[in-house]
Amino acid sequence: DVVMTQSPLSLPVTLGQPASISCWSSQSLVHSDGNIYLNWYHQRPGQSPRRLIYKVSNRDSGVPDRFSGSGSGTDFTLKISRVEAEDVGAYYCMQGTHSPGAFGQGTRLEIK
Amino acid sequence: QLQLQESGPGLVKPSETLSLTCSVSGASITSSGSFWGWVRHPPGKDLEWIGSVSYDGTTYYNPSLRSRLTITADRSRNEISLRLTSVTAADTAVYFCARDRGHYDIDQWGRGALVTVSS
């Protein structure tokens, strides 16, 4: 099975500052159809996860443009250009290229 | 607006069967190209994809759970169900119902249901 690894696991950030989360896969996530099925999710405390980014870099409707995703092959990044208070919580990457789908361990973002 | 609502017992005894139902509103589980499934989050551990059922009734299971797992769809009630047999404490988790657009592209989640396995 594909293993997804995230870094850092804990991310203290000052309001208004940028933040970056890395996600690595144990195998290339390029599917035979040419797509890369790598999503990012945000889970606030006490809530269910919410999809932010799909297929590496596509923002979901309603997601602020301060969130951006990038990457290729096995290395992926979620960036927040200016952290706001509502961004606290856990962020997860998830690969869907290989079966079964798999999540990263999660990165917990907190405000300093 | 799509809503997914999990329901079922919050406490299950070891060796017994965990059963959960997900009621879907705002979309049909028979909608072409859609998949409906389950993800769980054990305390202190990673999110884990459990399995799903497609719009045409085909099931997909995580190999690590396949021998104990059954996911079914009730088209008349627009619901999906999860049955996990021979549970242990390791099955204690928040269980989420989810819509998958294919390739494990989960775009909608239920609120989650905590299931504790304990005697």
Side-chain angles (χ1 to χ4, degrees), chain B residues 13 21-22 39 42-43 46 49 55 61 65 84 87 91 93-95:
Chain B
K13 290 183 168 56
T21 297
C22 174
V39 174
D46 299 352
W49 179 81
Y55 63 100
Y61 296 154
L65 297 169
L84 187 65
V87 296
D91 295 308
V94 176
Y95 286 76

Side-chain angles (χ1 to χ4, degrees), chain B residues 5 47 58 60 71 83 104 116:
Chain B
Q5 180 64 58
L47 287 159
T58 305
Y60 304 85
I71 295 175
R83 289 183 75 249
Y104 306 95
T116 301

Side-chain angles (χ1 to χ4, degrees), chain A:
Chain A
D1 293 359
V2 174
V3 176
M4 305 299 291
T5 304
Q6 289 183 227
S7 179
L9 299 185
S10 179
L11 183 57
V13 184
T14 301
L15 286 173
Q17 293 300 302
S20 180
I21 301 170
S22 296
C23 172
W24 295 276
S25 58
S26 59
Q27 300 177 33
S28 172
L29 297 187
V30 180
H31 194 273
S32 56
D33 66 8
N35 289 306
I36 297 177
Y37 296 100
L38 186 285
N39 292 357
W40 288 96
Y41 296 90
H42 176 215
Q43 185 177 27
R44 294 193 179 101
Q47 297 185 13
S48 53
R50 171 198 181 195
R51 192 180 68 177
L52 295 175
I53 302 282
Y54 61 96
K55 286 196 286 186
V56 181
S57 59
N58 297 277
R59 255 192 321 273
D60 264 274
S61 174
V63 173
D65 61 7
R66 63 178 183 276
F67 288 91
S68 64
S70 63
S72 62
T74 60
D75 293 1
F76 303 91
T77 303
L78 176 70
K79 291 185 178 179
I80 309 173
S81 58
R82 296 172 307 280
V83 169
E84 298 189 5
E86 65 182 15
D87 299 338
V88 298
Y91 290 81
Y92 300 92
C93 59
M94 181 191 186
Q95 72 84 18
T97 297
H98 303 284
S99 295
F103 294 88
Q105 319 98 302
T107 295
R108 195 156 302 275
L109 185 149
E110 62 180 40
I111 304 300
K112 278 185 188 174

